[in-house]
Amino acid sequence: YEYFYKGAERNIPSALNGMGLLYWHGQIVEKDLDSAEAYFKRAADLKYPEAYYNYAMILLEQPAVFTTEKVFQNFLAAVKSGNYFN
């Protein structure tokens, strides 16, 4: 957590994505989908390929913020980046 946090403070995309994963799965920190979404969005805004997918997936879990356009655009960006995730 400490290293992801320090990296996220410096806007390092992989660290932002890592923080998102921790909050999404409730590992080390309490599960918080809003925080996970915010970290994934920041990483996706920095064009981090894995974050596009994670951001789209977390949007699907939150009906209140889900929009088809946001999800589609992020899945499309993940595919265009050449990264496919399960």
Side-chain angles (χ1 to χ4, degrees):
Y1 174 86
E2 180 182 345
Y3 293 112
F4 279 141
Y5 183 80
K6 287 180 180 183
E9 284 183 323
R10 292 173 178 79
N11 240 18
I12 297 170
S14 59
L16 292 165
N17 189 68
M19 288 294 291
L21 289 170
L22 293 178
Y23 279 102
W24 188 11
H25 299 293
Q27 295 174 322
I28 303 172
V29 295
E30 191 166 327
K31 184 172 183 158
D32 181 345
L33 296 181
D34 291 332
S35 292
E37 178 193 344
Y39 280 114
F40 290 144
K41 182 178 184 327
R42 285 177 55 197
D45 287 346
L46 295 169
K47 304 195 181 332
Y48 188 68
E50 188 176 340
Y52 293 125
Y53 176 83
N54 291 334
Y55 183 47
M57 292 300 293
I58 199 119
L59 289 173
L60 289 172
E61 287 190 27
Q62 299 184 87
V65 297
F66 171 88
T67 67
T68 305
E69 183 65 22
K70 270 190 200 178
V71 171
F72 176 76
Q73 290 302 320
N74 281 282
F75 278 138
L76 183 62
V79 170
K80 284 182 177 180
S81 71
N83 288 279
Y84 302 91
F85 304 97
N86 294 327

